[in-house]
Amino acid sequence: MKTIKSGKCYILHLDQWPALNCLSDEQLGRLLRHICYWLLDETGDGNTEGLLVENDIKPLYILLQNQAVIDDRKYQQKCELNRRKAMKRWAVKEQDAAACRGMQNNNNNNNNNNNNNNNNNNNNNNNNNNNNNNNNSSCAAVDISEPVANAEEAAAAAASFNMEEAKEYCLKNVLPWFNSILDNADSKIPRIQDFNDQRTERYVAAHKKYGIKKIEKAFRNAARSPFLNGNGKRNTFVASFDWILDEEHFLKVCEGEYNTHR
């Protein structure tokens, strides 16, 4: 179970800025990347990412992490309060509807006693009124909005780019992202320098089929794998970007099959 339960929304408080402003651009970038990895982690182990955080940014990482947990707790409490208010409103509506139905039944009985000839007409009118009331009740709904993060949707736009746009996207986003994962893990896997048509098509195909989260998981597993970093028991094989995304290897890397010495 994820530590953060309120979706994929993260709030950066302005009163945190004086401390963050003391960091260099490079330190701030590493800090925000670690926070994002921690928020997106679905393993439920909130301590895993903390072990990878460098010492020069660790105090601020813990500060932002604690604030995110506090904000999430407040959000959950607000959702629960809204849910209770909605249930209370519905209970009042149900009581009013029951009272109305009781009044209608009494009126119908009086009308039936006074004039039996109008009984069928009264029943038909009552049935129509009840149907209208039921239809109106079914249309009512409680709208409790939740925050929606569009970061993944924006990243998925790469899957619909033409070749030139896909190359540009991969050069600006995927290349530094992949290389930074390797740098943070001190991996021996070669950093990529460019994207040709074949490499771009391979990334876009994986993005369409598996999504950004599985690609990230595969990259991070590969970066930490002894076997894929040339530390195998029987050989010194070192993986590459293209090898990881190859259809034959991708799921195995993503599922952690190469996480140990082989």
Side-chain angles (χ1 to χ4, degrees):
M1 182 181 295
K2 288 177 65 63
T3 304
I4 301 299
K5 301 177 182 179
S6 56
K8 302 173 184 176
C9 179
Y10 173 69
I11 300 174
L12 184 63
H13 296 266
L14 290 179
D15 58 2
Q16 297 169 343
W17 178 243
L20 297 177
N21 196 32
C22 296
L23 300 177
S24 66
D25 290 347
E26 186 271 341
Q27 287 175 315
L28 184 59
R30 284 190 285 118
L31 174 61
L32 294 181
R33 188 178 297 277
H34 281 301
I35 286 293
C36 288
Y37 285 156
W38 172 68
L39 290 170
L40 293 172
D41 181 24
E42 294 184 353
T43 62
D45 183 6
N47 297 321
T48 301
E49 188 63 34
L51 298 176
L52 302 175
V53 178
E54 299 80 0
N55 290 334
D56 60 329
I57 60 173
K58 197 152 192 173
L60 289 177
Y61 170 83
I62 295 174
L63 174 67
L64 297 184
Q65 187 184 49
N66 289 340
Q67 186 63 57
V69 173
I70 293 172
D71 291 342
D72 179 71
R73 188 180 300 117
K74 290 180 179 178
Y75 175 83
Q76 296 300 325
Q77 291 173 348
K78 184 176 181 180
C79 288
E80 178 62 19
L81 180 61
N82 288 339
R83 185 185 69 83
R84 292 180 180 178
K85 288 181 178 178
M87 292 179 65
K88 187 175 181 179
R89 288 196 299 270
W90 275 106
V92 172
K93 289 181 180 179
E94 283 297 317
Q95 292 174 1
D96 291 343
C100 290
R101 286 193 293 269
M103 294 174 64
Q104 290 172 356
N105 290 334
N106 291 333
N107 290 333
N108 290 336
N109 290 333
N110 292 330
N111 290 334
N112 288 335
N113 292 330
N114 293 331
N115 191 352
N116 291 329
N117 292 330
N118 293 329
N119 185 51
N120 291 332
N121 291 333
N122 290 335
N123 288 335
N124 290 334
N125 289 333
N126 290 333
N127 289 333
N128 290 333
N129 289 334
N130 288 334
N131 288 334
N132 289 334
N133 289 335
N134 290 334
N135 289 335
N136 290 336
S137 296
S138 64
C139 293
V142 179
D143 181 17
I144 301 177
S145 60
E146 296 185 359
V148 177
N150 294 318
E152 184 175 354
E153 294 175 8
S160 63
F161 289 162
N162 61 38
M163 180 55 66
E164 291 305 314
E165 289 174 330
K167 279 185 184 178
E168 182 179 359
Y169 174 86
C170 289
L171 284 170
K172 290 183 178 180
N173 298 279
V174 181
L175 186 152
W177 176 46
F178 174 76
N179 289 346
S180 68
I181 290 176
L182 300 183
D183 291 340
N184 288 337
D186 196 22
S187 173
K188 295 180 182 179
I189 295 175
R191 279 54 171 169
I192 52 177
Q193 306 298 324
D194 202 355
F195 272 84
N196 56 21
D197 289 358
Q198 183 179 6
R199 177 173 287 174
T200 304
E201 289 174 355
R202 179 170 290 173
Y203 175 80
V204 171
H207 203 146
K208 283 183 177 181
K209 186 170 183 179
Y210 299 108
I212 190 75
K213 288 186 178 180
K214 285 190 176 179
I215 291 179
E216 178 190 2
K217 189 173 183 180
F219 286 167
R220 290 165 71 83
N221 280 349
R224 299 169 182 172
S225 165
F227 175 76
L228 298 182
N229 282 269
N231 297 320
K233 293 181 179 179
R234 290 172 289 182
N235 56 55
T236 57
F237 169 76
V238 177
S240 66
F241 178 89
D242 301 292
W243 187 93
I244 296 169
L245 290 180
D246 188 272
E247 183 67 24
E248 183 180 352
H249 312 129
F250 181 82
L251 282 180
K252 294 180 181 179
V253 179
C254 186
E255 293 170 356
E257 188 171 327
Y258 300 101
N259 285 1
T260 58
H261 294 80
R262 299 177 58 163

